[in-house]
Amino acid sequence: QLHFVESGGALVQPGGSLRLSCAASGFALSYYAVGWFRQAPGKEREGVSCISGSDSTTYYTDSVKGRFTISRDDAKNMVYLQMNSLKPEDTAVYYCAAETDGGGSLVQPMCVRGPPYDYWGQGTQVTVSS
């Protein structure tokens, strides 16, 4: 059975930090590019950051550059999103998704284009509020 499970979401004050985790089971994450996406109430789903499987090329949407860092540990079948200097506008449900890796040049299109992807998680809620 294939699973893709996010964790780490929480209520945090503006300026705070969180680390989201995405655990894959039932498939080898190393063969996949992985992305973090978010959806706020009333808004479309947005690609936040993506990372390739072959060479760990990364992409970040402009609003999170310099604040968020995506990383992966293929030995543990895990992907992470370190989020610093959080802002109220970062409030959303965060999802991870994966698709067969196509190399570093396809990381930005993966994040920008939107679904479908091979695997989706159920999401984890991040709320930034004082």
Side-chain angles (χ1 to χ4, degrees):
Q1 194 170 6
L2 307 178
H3 288 290
F4 215 18
V5 179
E6 304 92 337
S7 62
L11 171 63
V12 63
Q13 292 187 341
S17 297
L18 283 175
R19 188 175 85 152
L20 305 184
S21 299
C22 185
S25 62
F27 64 100
L29 199 58
S30 59
Y31 295 107
Y32 293 83
V34 184
W36 284 97
F37 301 81
R38 66 186 179 187
Q39 189 164 21
K43 294 187 177 181
E44 293 187 354
R45 192 167 292 181
E46 173 189 28
V48 176
S49 180
C50 293
I51 185 168
S52 68
S54 55
D55 58 6
S56 293
T57 298
T58 58
Y59 165 85
Y60 298 92
T61 194
D62 286 346
S63 62
V64 308
K65 284 180 181 176
R67 301 189 297 122
F68 290 11
T69 303
I70 191 171
S71 61
R72 61 190 299 153
D73 185 340
D74 290 338
K76 296 182 179 179
N77 244 21
M78 297 286 294
V79 178
Y80 306 99
L81 186 68
Q82 178 67 42
M83 306 188 295
N84 298 327
S85 302
L86 283 161
K87 304 175 181 180
E89 51 263 42
D90 295 317
T91 295
V93 178
Y94 284 70
Y95 303 85
C96 53
E99 66 179 17
T100 302
D101 184 52
S105 63
L106 296 182
V107 167
Q108 179 175 351
M110 177 186 179
C111 258
V112 172
R113 145 194 118 225
Y117 303 108
D118 295 332
Y119 302 110
W120 272 107
Q122 294 300 308
T124 185
Q125 175 71 47
V126 172
T127 303
V128 184
S129 175
S130 54

